[in-house]
């Protein structure tokens, strides 16, 4: 059993540091995320940075579990906690997750107030904020820095790929250098960052995906979330796929690529996700993404069978 920063890494049987284990060790109990929607839009949709958004993004702005935005966040929070405590018990704790849209974009005073409030909710031990690296003005950074002194804060940034050609194709409207500017501002303040990447983007090779993992590793993020491209119906990505029929990754290819990426990521990087949460009715392709448990089990089995671990191909830290 290997020990890393006082965490026994593999007691959950994984060959990487999973977020659930990290949280359990840090807080001494089960910790789950409570998604909150404060109705933030996205500068990549309203014309400020781009129009139409990233081509894979759904009309509801990528939230996996959307609650009506008109509900106050306390109502959203309590309603989820009520449901989840039946599953996890009264002693479990929560992280308030500002998930949908760009949660540092819009009315700054309103956003700050909601984040402050959430950080003080009962049983809330942390806050996660999903946003874009190009939406982090100095004032927001200062605010986040203060919040991070009071609670376990993570800022989640969508990178998807370090390949700017693909970035253009998916209409990310932010190149890698711009991403790095925002990333480094957070890093300099010691704020935890979670970087999201997507495998299987149109025309990306395995080498492209491994390069993204390698570059992300150099940034030393607190956490990484790896997603498989899920082509949702009624998106621009769906239109492109139907028109060009670009190659999709098979389940086996995805598993192999993810495991190779994990090997390139330092063992101290927390792995927050290894696939998406595609809904059957919304998914156009690939259909294997719907069976999340098969993907996760496949990754675990592959790592065990090949005796590989996260970080065994890097020694950057
Ligand atoms: S930045 Fe995020 S919310 Fe905005 S369009 Fe892209 S995926 Fe959707």
């Amino acid at each position: 059993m290997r020990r890393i920063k006082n965490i026994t890494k593999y007691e959950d049987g994984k060959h990487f540091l999973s977020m659930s284990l990290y949280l359990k060790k840090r807080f001494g109990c089960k910790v789950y995320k409570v998604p909150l929607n404060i109705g933030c839009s996205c500068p990549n949709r309203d014309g400020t940075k781009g129009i139409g958004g990233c081509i894979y993004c759904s009309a509801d702005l990528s939230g996996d579990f959307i609650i009506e935005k008109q509900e106050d966040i306390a109502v959203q929070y309590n309603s989820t906690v009520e449901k989840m405590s039946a599953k996890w018990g009264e002693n479990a704790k929560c992280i308030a997750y500002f998930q949908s849209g760009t949660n540092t974009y819009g009315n700054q005073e309103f956003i700050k107030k909601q984040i402050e409030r959430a950080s003080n909710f009962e049983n809330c031990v942390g806050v996660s904020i999903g946003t874009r690296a190009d939406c982090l003005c100095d004032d927001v950074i200062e605010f986040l820095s203060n919040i991070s002194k009071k609670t376990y804060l993570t800022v989640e940034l969508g990178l998807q790929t370090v390949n700017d050609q693909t970035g253009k194709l998916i209409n990310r409207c932010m190149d890698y250098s711009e991403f790095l500017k925002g990333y480094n501002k957070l890093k300099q303040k010691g704020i935890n960052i979670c970087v999201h990447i997507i495998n299987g983007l149109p025309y990306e090779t395995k080498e492209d995906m491994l390069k993204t993992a390698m570059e992300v590793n150099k940034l030393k993020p607190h956490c990484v979330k790896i997603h498989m491209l899920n082509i949702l119906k009624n998106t621009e990505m769906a239109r492109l796929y139907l028109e060009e029929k670009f190659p999709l990754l098979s389940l086996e290819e995805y598993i192999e690529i993810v495991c190779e990426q994990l090997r390139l990521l330092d063992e101290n990087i927390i792995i927050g996700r290894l696939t998406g949460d595609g809904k059957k009715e919304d998914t156009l392709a690939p259909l294997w993404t719907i069976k999340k448990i098969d993907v996760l089990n496949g990754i675990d089995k592959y790592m065990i069978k090949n005796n590989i671990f996260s970080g065994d191909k890097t020694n950057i830290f």
Side-chain angles (χ1 to χ4, degrees), residues 266-282:
D266 188 274
E267 61 189 357
N268 292 298
I269 295 174
I270 301 160
I271 304 302
R273 217 174 228 289
L274 287 176
T275 187
D277 269 328
K279 290 185 205 123
K280 193 176 175 188
E281 60 275 20
D282 298 336

Side-chain angles (χ1 to χ4, degrees), residues 39-44 46-49 102-108 111 131 135:
C40 283
S41 174
C42 176
N44 198 18
D46 67 8
T48 304
K49 287 291 293 206
T102 301
N103 291 281
T104 53
Y105 181 67
N107 181 332
Q108 298 294 299
I111 291 170
T131 189
C135 282

Side-chain angles (χ1 to χ4, degrees), residues 33 77 128 195 224 239:
K33 279 185 161 181
Y77 183 84
S128 284
V195 178
V224 169
R239 190 202 58 73

